[in-house]
Amino acid sequence: MSSASAAQAFPIAVAQLAAELEQATSPEELLRVVRALGALGQVEGIPILIRAFGFNRPAVGEAALEEVLRFGEAAVQPLLSHIDGFDYGARAYSVRALARIGHGDAYPFLAEAIVADFAPSVRRAATRGLGRVAAKRPLLDQERALHLLRQCLADADWGVRYAAVGSLTDLARQGEQSLRPSVEAALQMALEDADPLIPLRAQMSWQELAAEP
């Protein structure tokens, strides 16, 4: 995107930083621009930050994620509109952002990513966020999320199983209380996982939930 066309689409400050991001050649320059975009606080800069997810530089991706999260729920629709269908690393950052923001609008995408995405990092991030996101949805969606998370407890990827335990904990804590017995039954399943980390995480979840009023 040229500086002229960017100026038409974005406020001048955002357009200038977008041009600087295109011209940056070092990690230090990229980080400076990403931080400056976040500091502006203008939602028009969110798609530019999302582009930085795909630069294949972990420090830059993490910084862009941190800046996107500063926008909170205002970042949800830009994230959903700019999901990278080709770069799974960039897609994982977007999913992590959606999971941490926890807005209900992300539910369909996260659920689909768990079922259909080929990238383990994306599926793990989507699984981890599903419980928190589903808790903001109607009961039927929460029931569907519970069913999907139960399936995740049998996934071949231990990271997905581990993420499912944390997600079930969020659903028990934040979702409809009528589902809590079913969620606790699913956590009981996790206690029987052959990987010692999964039962350990499930035991922590039991303790966390038991300590709550």
Side-chain angles (χ1 to χ4, degrees):
M1 179 183 292
S2 69
S3 298
S5 60
Q8 295 175 2
F10 304 124
I12 293 175
V14 175
Q16 179 178 345
L17 288 171
E20 291 180 18
L21 195 69
E22 292 292 335
Q23 297 164 8
T25 57
S26 70
E28 293 76 17
E29 289 178 288
L30 290 169
L31 282 170
R32 178 188 63 79
V33 177
V34 163
R35 295 300 188 191
L37 277 166
L40 276 179
Q42 296 183 350
V43 295
E44 293 86 354
I46 297 174
I48 312 303
L49 289 168
I50 294 170
R51 283 205 58 205
F53 289 165
F55 286 176
N56 198 29
R57 295 181 181 272
V60 175
E62 292 294 334
L65 174 62
E66 182 179 325
E67 298 303 331
V68 167
L69 289 172
R70 289 173 59 177
F71 288 90
E73 294 187 353
V76 172
Q77 290 307 318
L79 284 163
L80 290 171
S81 298
H82 293 84
I83 293 289
D84 194 319
F86 299 98
D87 184 336
Y88 70 85
R91 192 161 64 253
Y93 278 116
S94 291
V95 172
R96 286 172 60 191
L98 289 167
R100 289 176 61 179
I101 294 168
H103 193 280
D105 285 353
Y107 170 82
F109 176 78
L110 295 187
E112 178 65 18
I114 292 170
V115 173
D117 205 292
F118 73 90
S121 59
V122 175
R123 296 186 64 241
R124 291 172 182 177
T127 301
R128 185 61 188 88
L130 187 66
R132 184 181 306 118
V133 167
K136 308 290 180 60
R137 303 282 292 193
L139 178 59
L140 181 59
D141 286 335
Q142 294 186 39
E143 291 173 340
R144 289 170 174 164
L146 173 57
H147 177 71
L148 182 53
L149 290 171
R150 285 173 62 95
Q151 291 181 326
C152 288
L153 291 175
D155 198 273
D157 184 339
W158 81 269
V160 170
R161 302 198 306 276
Y162 189 92
V165 175
S167 198
L168 284 163
T169 309
D170 289 338
L171 186 59
R173 182 179 290 120
Q174 303 173 25
E176 292 286 344
Q177 288 303 294
S178 62
L179 291 180
R180 185 149 176 166
S182 297
V183 174
E184 291 176 347
L187 290 173
Q188 187 69 38
M189 292 170 51
L191 290 171
E192 302 173 5
D193 195 288
D195 189 308
L197 289 177
I198 310 299
L200 180 61
R201 180 64 180 89
Q203 187 62 44
M204 290 174 57
S205 293
W206 274 105
Q207 294 172 353
E208 292 170 11
L209 293 173
E212 295 180 357

